Amino acid sequence: MTTIQSSVEQKKSAQTVQQTARPSFFIVGTSKRGTTAMRRFLEQHPDLFVCRPEEPNYFATDFCRDPAPAGLIHPRPEADYLAMFAGAEPNQRCGDASACYLYSDEAISNIAAFDPDARLIAIFREPVSFLRSYHVQMLKNPIKEGEAEQDFERAVALEEVRKRGERIPEGCLVPEFLFYRERVKYAEHLERVYRHFSEEQVLVLLFDDFKADNPVTVRRVGEHLGGDAEFAPEFEQHNTGGKVVTSRRAQGLVHKLEHGAGPFAAVKAVAKALLPKSVRKRMVKGAYQKVVLRDAERLDDALVTRLKREFKPGVEAFAALTGLDAVQRWGYDQV
């Protein structure tokens, strides 16, 4: 997909959907900063509708590499995108929560072309803790959109080499996801947003505030989107993380067993016939916990300090741009 514009035929086929369900708010990012929890809280709001399936990544056209629908980011017609909002009620405001939009070079301008009056929400987290959590997630992702380097420090250090097309994991389709330092250029990301949207259209949140007080932050989002600010969803933890993949091979085998792929089809059929779904889910979860995952190691204090010193100018620029006291709150005044 090289352009966000659809053909005339696609627009005609989506006309009915556009009239009743067209997204006008976007949680633009990014991953490992509470976007999953925020999306699930907003899904409970009677005035709002967040598209299904989650994270369509439709506007990140620069990341479209995988033509297969099973890929994380793949081209799709506008009619197919709008069909994701078909379940919305006429009075609901529709939204798209895709974690990669904030650091995509093209997503924000594409959203502005789609709806210049859109409302945006962006959540930011202390850079080092974010990168650590992001690296753990990349190790869990399928390799075509994931990481193979188990060591966090080495993975971060590989960025410049990977930008030259070297040391990219075999099968990885979107190496930009492995450019870790690019993920924490917060001021640059926001400046790109503000080139297309006014400050009134953009709600900037700190992950710390969201984590400390879910209800207050969700009320702020409700006010920003014009919904019932007093609505209180059921709050629970999402994406608690803290685990890394021990073995890609073990991960693949358990995944095939879970989904009955290839030679495991017969095993799944027997298990399905003999065991309740709840039991099967517990067994799969247990297999992941015992065979696939292990606790992430604590980062070395010296490494944390070195990275914080490197990222400090960017944090200061972000604080100046937003008026948020991120320097002190994230401990960058101590390095």
Side-chain angles (χ1 to χ4, degrees):
M1 180 167 62
T2 58
T3 176
I4 210 66
Q5 299 298 325
S6 301
S7 66
V8 174
E9 290 77 11
Q10 290 169 343
K11 288 184 176 180
K12 285 181 178 179
S13 65
Q15 186 175 9
T16 302
V17 176
Q18 289 179 4
Q19 289 173 350
T20 59
R22 187 177 175 89
S24 62
F25 76 87
F26 300 85
I27 302 177
V28 296
T30 65
S31 57
K32 315 315 297 180
R33 297 175 194 166
T35 51
T36 297
M38 178 63 72
R39 180 182 64 245
R40 293 181 181 174
F41 295 153
L42 296 184
E43 285 176 342
Q44 301 177 49
H45 201 299
D47 299 334
L48 305 174
F49 179 89
V50 184
C51 72
R52 311 281 177 78
E54 60 191 41
E55 294 202 75
N57 303 307
Y58 172 68
F59 293 98
T61 48
D62 48 330
F63 293 154
C64 286
R65 310 288 164 74
D66 189 352
L72 177 67
I73 302 180
H74 62 277
R76 55 164 58 92
E78 184 177 280
D80 289 354
Y81 173 65
L82 292 176
M84 295 180 180
F85 304 90
E89 298 294 333
N91 63 329
Q92 288 182 309
R93 185 169 191 170
C94 295
D96 170 350
S98 295
C100 72
Y101 285 164
L102 193 64
Y103 51 80
S104 160
D105 288 337
E106 299 177 1
I108 300 301
S109 59
N110 286 338
I111 292 171
F114 179 83
D115 184 357
D117 298 319
R119 292 271 170 158
L120 274 60
I121 301 161
I123 307 174
F124 294 89
R125 179 178 179 179
E126 188 279 307
V128 179
S129 64
F130 158 67
L131 284 183
R132 174 55 165 168
S133 184
Y134 180 74
H135 175 250
V136 168
Q137 182 59 53
M138 294 302 287
L139 289 172
K140 295 177 185 176
N141 285 353
I143 197 62
K144 62 182 176 181
E145 55 228 14
E147 175 64 274
E149 175 54 65
Q150 291 276 338
D151 184 81
F152 170 73
E153 185 174 6
R154 286 198 295 268
V156 173
L158 280 171
E159 182 164 342
E160 293 305 316
V161 175
R162 286 169 163 174
K163 285 182 176 179
R164 298 196 299 267
E166 305 169 17
R167 300 289 298 278
I168 296 169
E170 185 178 357
C172 178
L173 296 179
V174 192
E176 292 94 330
F177 286 1
L178 305 179
F179 300 165
Y180 292 92
R181 287 179 171 86
E182 294 293 330
R183 304 283 77 77
V184 295
K185 293 182 177 179
Y186 296 165
E188 291 185 21
H189 298 161
L190 266 183
E191 286 169 352
R192 179 164 54 221
V193 171
Y194 289 142
R195 284 198 292 270
H196 299 280
F197 296 95
S198 69
E199 291 187 15
E200 290 72 25
Q201 291 175 270
V202 183
L203 178 61
V204 177
L205 301 170
L206 294 185
F207 174 74
D208 315 59
D209 293 332
F210 184 28
K211 185 176 180 180
D213 198 332
N214 286 169
V216 168
T217 305
V218 171
R219 280 199 297 272
R220 288 186 63 194
V221 173
E223 292 171 354
H224 180 64
L225 299 179
D228 179 4
E230 298 305 314
F231 173 76
E234 293 183 9
F235 295 101
E236 58 184 71
Q237 286 189 321
H238 300 286
N239 280 0
T240 52
K243 300 284 187 178
V244 296
V245 172
T246 301
S247 165
R248 283 279 185 186
R249 184 172 181 273
Q251 181 188 31
L253 288 173
V254 174
H255 180 80
K256 289 178 180 178
L257 180 61
E258 178 185 8
H259 296 279
F264 296 102
V267 177
K268 182 175 182 179
V270 172
K272 191 173 182 180
L274 298 177
L275 301 173
K277 184 176 181 180
S278 58
V279 174
R280 299 198 308 271
K281 289 181 68 174
R282 285 199 300 271
M283 291 176 65
V284 170
K285 183 177 179 180
Y288 272 105
Q289 295 293 335
K290 293 180 180 180
V291 180
V292 178
L293 303 175
R294 61 175 172 81
D295 291 333
E297 297 177 2
R298 183 177 178 274
L299 291 183
D300 179 71
D301 290 341
L303 172 62
V304 172
T305 299
R306 178 170 61 80
L307 289 175
K308 280 193 167 186
R309 286 173 179 165
E310 177 185 342
F311 298 150
K312 184 174 182 178
V315 171
E316 292 173 334
F318 170 76
L321 183 63
T322 61
L324 298 171
D325 189 15
V327 176
Q328 184 175 14
R329 295 188 63 186
W330 289 344
Y332 282 73
D333 57 335
Q334 304 297 319
V335 297

